[in-house]
Amino acid sequence: GTKPISSITPTKVLSVMKKVQEEGHKDTSRRVFRYLSAILNYAKFNGKIEQNPADGAEKYLAKLDTSHQPTIQESELPQLLNDIDGYTTRGQQRANPLTQLALQLLTRTVVRSGELRGARWNEFNLKTATWTIPAERMKKKREHIVPLSNQALAIIHQIKSISGESTLLFPSASIDGFMSDNTLRKALFTLGYDGADATKSKCVPHGLRALAATILTEATHPAKQGAIPEKMFEADVIEIMLAHQQEDRLKKAYIRHPNHLELRRHMMQWLSDYFDKRQGLLPPDRSNVTD
């Protein structure tokens, strides 16, 4: 306000942060801190103050409550996939078909919502069935190659018939120029996954990624009676698919191994086939069923 910036002390900075926290707004207090710290840094480098009084204050802020993104149970998967497939016809006559296709592609690629929504046509090689997301668009700032299943390719061809003349798969009049996360979230809520329907679990776009990861982690090969089932996919391969940071040097080397892409290609095709089987679009796998 009217206070000279040179009169702001570390104690005053912390008192402002704590006041916001005491009102129950932990996340807001951290955003306020970032804004205040940036302003004070600007003053510092323009000769208005010698030191930034906000330096080091962040460690005294209350820790944020961590929670998982809401998603459905695996038993609800067929209903969710059917609901998404019917999005543009079930009371949504004016719905943008790209919204439906974006949700379908999200389930078949398991990327983050922002990586999907900002996708550009020049990132796709349909001949090799790969999608290369550049480092600058990735959360971990590392290029990520997504192998595309047959089902993902079919969805992409549908998208191309609509937005193929654009540089983006999902162009929009929004500030970013592409579909917003709220569009996908609202679509899921419109389909009843907003937590208000007692017959459906709440689900957000990022929750679809968590669901797929859980399915892949729990997938096992058929085993003889009494034998311990063997996991179908290695944890490291799933982590690479999720584009999680690999700190261990050996794991980083594993990421660069030429086989990892083929392993993930097999895994992503299995996942797409699994979704189709759960919808009844492919015959179920009965190799582990005893009649």
Side-chain angles (χ1 to χ4, degrees):
T2 58
K3 295 180 183 293
I5 200 163
S6 58
S7 71
I8 297 176
T9 64
T11 303
K12 289 180 180 178
V13 170
L14 197 57
S15 68
V16 171
M17 301 299 102
K18 287 187 173 180
K19 182 178 179 181
V20 178
Q21 285 184 164
E22 287 168 359
E23 295 174 354
H25 307 301
K26 294 180 182 179
D27 187 59
T28 301
S29 72
R30 289 183 173 268
R31 287 202 302 272
V32 170
F33 169 78
R34 289 195 294 269
Y35 296 147
L36 182 55
S37 183
I39 292 168
L40 292 168
N41 261 339
Y42 181 82
K44 174 183 174 181
F45 289 106
N46 281 275
K48 303 297 182 183
I49 54 177
E50 292 295 322
Q51 296 294 330
N52 184 342
D55 284 347
E58 189 171 19
K59 65 181 180 181
Y60 296 105
L61 299 179
K63 292 184 178 179
L64 295 176
D65 298 324
T66 56
S67 59
H68 296 293
Q69 297 283 1
T71 191
I72 62 168
Q73 298 296 317
E74 196 280 340
S75 59
E76 299 174 86
L77 180 61
Q79 181 68 56
L80 173 68
L81 295 173
N82 287 333
D83 285 344
I84 291 174
D85 288 352
Y87 174 68
T88 56
T89 57
R90 189 175 300 170
Q92 296 293 320
Q93 290 84 357
R94 297 174 59 189
N96 185 345
L98 284 177
T99 303
Q100 177 192 56
L101 292 167
L103 287 172
Q104 290 174 335
L105 189 57
L106 196 62
T107 63
R108 269 69 176 187
T109 56
V110 202
V111 296
R112 297 179 180 89
S113 170
E115 294 157 6
L116 178 88
R117 293 180 291 103
R120 289 159 172 76
W121 285 113
N122 62 9
E123 297 170 357
F124 290 81
N125 187 328
L126 301 185
K127 291 183 178 179
T128 60
T130 53
W131 171 18
T132 303
I133 308 175
E136 60 268 22
R137 288 211 313 107
M138 293 296 299
K139 181 178 179 180
K140 301 298 183 180
K141 303 304 177 185
R142 185 178 61 215
E143 181 181 276
H144 182 56
I145 301 176
V146 181
L148 301 170
S149 65
N150 294 331
Q151 290 87 337
L153 287 171
I155 295 167
I156 290 167
H157 281 297
Q158 290 183 65
I159 297 170
K160 199 170 184 65
S161 69
I162 300 173
S163 63
E165 298 300 317
S166 171
T167 58
L168 296 159
L169 271 71
F170 306 105
S172 167
S174 67
I175 295 175
D176 293 322
F178 52 79
M179 184 182 292
S180 71
D181 185 57
N182 190 54
T183 297
L184 296 183
R185 181 184 294 260
K186 185 177 179 181
L188 287 173
F189 287 3
T190 297
L191 292 172
Y193 297 91
D194 58 353
D197 187 336
T199 66
K200 296 179 179 179
S201 298
K202 184 175 181 179
C203 185
V204 298
H206 197 80
L208 299 176
R209 174 177 158 91
L211 173 66
T214 299
I215 290 171
L216 291 170
T217 299
E218 295 178 350
T220 57
H221 290 290
K224 294 182 180 180
Q225 188 173 5
I228 299 176
E230 179 185 351
K231 284 191 174 295
M232 193 172 289
F233 305 109
E234 294 181 26
D236 282 344
V237 180
I238 297 173
E239 288 295 292
I240 295 169
M241 175 204 69
L242 294 171
H244 285 166
Q245 187 70 37
Q246 300 288 334
E247 299 297 339
D248 184 86
R249 287 185 178 181
L250 289 177
K251 288 185 178 180
K252 286 184 177 179
Y254 182 75
I255 287 175
R256 293 193 295 270
H257 195 282
N259 286 339
H260 94 265
L261 182 61
E262 291 310 309
L263 288 170
R264 289 194 295 118
R265 187 182 297 281
H266 166 70
M267 183 169 66
M268 297 309 295
Q269 187 59 56
W270 180 91
L271 183 65
S272 284
D273 289 345
Y274 178 83
F275 285 164
D276 282 356
K277 288 172 185 176
R278 296 290 280 121
Q279 273 190 281
L281 302 178
L282 288 176
D285 181 3
R286 295 181 56 83
S287 59
N288 60 347
V289 176
T290 302
D291 293 323

